[in-house]
């Protein structure tokens, strides 16, 4: 049988070391010898002896926070030995390696998988009010390990060394050390141009030293820690939980 489909670039990529790596820019391959965490529903194929355990029903700690913040796509623990392939609606996949002392704040909708050595929690995005269309809560990752994130299209990485403003629905992740806030469009001169609305109701602001990853797409919040409906219903209880 002959076809360009069977060309070398489409064949499974092998590596001697276990871990998360790119099969291509839309497929993540996990060469598994232990465990890692992944988004429920992201597995598209696997080989070997692999177990999948849903983690959305604990009722305490992070999992309680996920539920109260409108969490719609819980995590699963993937363990065993073999090869696991993951994807998310043909989105582009990018790998980020964190070292001790690093902190990454990321929209939960863009988390695909991560090493179980990483610590994560759901935190309030400080300075971003309820009126914003952006997710009020983000996943914050610390520790040492690799995380796979998704973007819709090729992103731009902005170095924050001056005041930086981003559409909240296009902001994927940023250095957790940055100071965040938000501005109404009218404050930025974007509310109306020649009497017409620009469609930009709010803009997130970033200050400090670090980076912001921005995708060329604006989508409603959602995912691991971002569904707006749950955020707006939980009020003070969420504030107490997520302020821990």
């Amino acid at each position: 049988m002959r076809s360009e489909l069977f060309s070398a670039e489409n064949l499974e990529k092998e590596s001697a070391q276990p871990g998360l790596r790119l099969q291509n820019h839309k497929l993540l391959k996990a060469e598994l010898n232990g465990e890692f965490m992944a988004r429920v529903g992201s597995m598209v194929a696997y080989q070997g002896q692999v177990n999948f355990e849903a983690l959305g029903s604990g009722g305490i700690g992070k999992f309680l926070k996920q539920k109260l913040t409108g969490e719609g796509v819980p995590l699963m623990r993937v363990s065993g030995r073999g090869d696991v392939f993951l994807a998310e609606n043909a989105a582009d996949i990018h790998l980020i390696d964190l070292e001790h002392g690093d902190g990454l704040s990321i929209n939960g909708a863009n988390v695909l998988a991560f090493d179980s050595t990483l610590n994560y929690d759901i935190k309030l995005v400080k300075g971003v009010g309820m009126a914003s269309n952006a997710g009020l809560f983000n996943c914050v990752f610390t520790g040492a390990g690799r995380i796979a994130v998704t973007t819709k299209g090729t992103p731009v990485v902005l170095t924050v060394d001056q005041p930086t403003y981003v559409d909240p629905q296009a902001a994927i992740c940023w250095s957790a050390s940055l100071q965040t806030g938000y501005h109404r469009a009218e404050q930025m001169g974007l509310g109306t141009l020649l009497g017409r609305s620009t469609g930009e109701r709010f803009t997130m602001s970033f200050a400090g030293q670090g980076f912001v990853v921005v995708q060329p797409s604006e989508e409603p919040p959602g995912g691991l820690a971002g569904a707006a409906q749950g955020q707006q219903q939980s009020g003070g209880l969420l504030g107490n939980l997520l302020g821990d």
Side-chain angles (χ1 to χ4, degrees), residues 11 48 77 85 104 112 128 139 153 156 183 192 195 206 230 243:
L11 296 180
R77 178 183 289 111
F85 295 87
L104 180 70
L112 180 61
V128 181
C139 295
V156 59
H183 299 270
T192 56
F206 298 89

Side-chain angles (χ1 to χ4, degrees), residues 85-166:
F85 295 87
L86 304 104
E88 181 67 21
N89 295 322
D92 292 334
I93 301 173
H94 311 271
L95 299 176
I96 302 175
D97 290 314
L98 275 66
E99 299 178 352
H100 288 294
D102 292 339
L104 180 70
S105 181
I106 178 171
N107 185 333
N110 300 97
V111 176
L112 180 61
F114 56 93
D115 289 336
S116 58
T117 56
L118 288 173
N119 302 311
Y120 72 100
D121 203 352
I122 297 173
K123 297 291 186 180
L124 288 164
V125 180
K126 295 182 178 179
V128 181
M130 282 288 188
S132 173
N133 287 332
L136 182 62
F137 308 101
N138 257 21
C139 295
V140 178
F141 288 83
T142 56
R146 174 168 287 185
I147 180 171
V149 304
T150 60
T151 65
K152 188 173 182 180
T154 303
V156 59
V157 179
L158 302 178
T159 299
V160 179
D161 53 7
Q162 57 184 320
T164 301
Y165 304 90
V166 178

Side-chain angles (χ1 to χ4, degrees), residues 19-32 36-47 50-52 74-79 82-95 111-114 148-150:
L20 304 177
R21 54 186 45 82
L22 294 180
Q23 168 66 25
N24 57 50
H25 70 288
K26 294 184 181 295
L27 268 174
L28 179 71
K29 180 182 180 182
E31 300 193 5
L32 180 61
F36 70 96
M37 310 291 281
R39 186 184 189 85
V40 165
S42 62
M43 186 277 293
V44 297
Y46 73 92
Q47 295 177 306
V50 181
N51 298 312
F52 301 89
L75 293 172
M76 61 182 177
R77 178 183 289 111
V78 186
S79 60
D83 296 328
V84 183
F85 295 87
L86 304 104
E88 181 67 21
N89 295 322
D92 292 334
I93 301 173
H94 311 271
L95 299 176
V111 176
L112 180 61
F114 56 93
V149 304
T150 60

